[in-house]
Every structure is written in C-alpha cells, then in structure tokens.
Amino acid sequence: QKIRFGDMFDVAFKLDEAAMDRIIIKNLLQPMVENALNHGIEPKRAHGTIIINIELRQDDLILQIIDDGVGMDRKTLGDVITGKVERTTGGYAVKNVIERLRAYYNGNHSFEAYSRPGIGTQFIITIRSGE
C-alpha cells in the first residue's frame, strides 16, 4: 500500500505486549485497514493517518482501526455495516468481517463503528475472554 499511496498516509501501531500471544481468525484486520485507505484516506486527497490499536482490557482482546479520513454520515455507515453499499468495486469487506466474527466467535464478540464526516472513522472489534 505504501507503493500505491506513497507518502499519502502514515500508520501508527499501538500494540499491547500482553495481547501478542492471542490468536485471532485470519484476515480480520487487513480488510479493515484497506477500507480505511481506500474509502477514508484516498478520497481525502491529503495526508492521513491510520492507527491500529491492539490491547487487552480485563482479558478481552480489543482491536481498533482508526483513520482521519473523510468519514461517513450515519446512513452511509449503516449501509457499510449491513453490506448495502452502492459501489461497483468491493464495499463488502466490513459485512464479511462481521459475518466471520459471528460464525467463529459465536456471540463472544462485539463490533462497533463510529464515523463523522470530515473527521474520520473508527472500528472496534472486541473478542471476549475465553475465546
């Protein structure tokens, strides 16, 4: 992505050492980070930042992907989460991640999304302890 976007963005990693021994399903973060780049940072047409935060809170694994891109209004965010996006190229990554979380973690997880136009977007995946 750095080759494609060049110096258009930076990535900051905040990684809790205590969380590093946790195992999660494959390709959980990658599509979320790609979405942050393609739908948040790239349309901004200015330098952006993506923060990937992984931590343990009371033995729950918290995964956060935060960008300072263009953001979305509530309706658009709802459409993204439910897979009702009107795009010809992709647009289903978030819905697929949610479905995979449901299938694999059987309710022992949560998925939250926050966004504001002109501010950015934050996705929070919580995998509850015991999984």
Side-chain angles (χ1 to χ4, degrees):
Q1 295 297 343
K2 273 296 200 182
I3 293 170
R4 177 177 172 205
F5 291 101
D7 291 331
M8 189 177 213
F9 74 97
D10 289 313
V11 178
F13 294 93
K14 297 180 180 181
L15 308 174
D16 181 352
E17 287 294 322
M20 293 299 105
D21 66 345
R22 293 293 182 96
I23 298 171
I24 61 172
I25 56 177
K26 287 187 202 179
N27 296 324
L28 196 57
L29 295 177
Q30 181 259 343
M32 305 302 294
V33 173
E34 281 187 1
N35 266 7
L37 280 169
N38 294 327
H39 305 295
I41 303 298
E42 185 176 29
K44 182 177 173 178
R45 304 273 186 233
H47 189 272
T49 302
I50 296 173
I51 300 169
I52 300 169
N53 183 28
I54 300 174
E55 65 181 293
L56 283 181
R57 286 189 204 150
Q58 299 171 332
D59 211 33
D60 291 346
L61 183 63
I62 312 296
L63 311 167
Q64 295 177 309
I65 299 89
I66 305 162
D67 71 68
D68 64 356
V70 297
M72 298 172 265
D73 59 35
R74 279 187 175 179
K75 182 189 179 318
T76 304
L77 183 59
D79 289 348
V80 166
I81 290 170
T82 58
K84 296 177 187 172
V85 290
E86 296 178 13
R87 292 191 181 105
T88 56
T89 56
Y92 298 100
V94 173
K95 182 181 178 196
N96 288 339
V97 165
I98 292 169
E99 289 174 357
R100 291 176 61 230
L101 285 165
R102 284 183 188 141
Y104 190 84
Y105 293 106
N106 194 28
N108 288 322
H109 73 282
S110 65
F111 185 95
E112 300 169 78
Y114 306 95
S115 190
R116 290 187 61 197
I119 304 294
T121 303
Q122 176 181 22
F123 291 102
I124 304 168
I125 299 168
T126 301
I127 300 171
R128 293 187 192 93
S129 61
E131 285 302 307

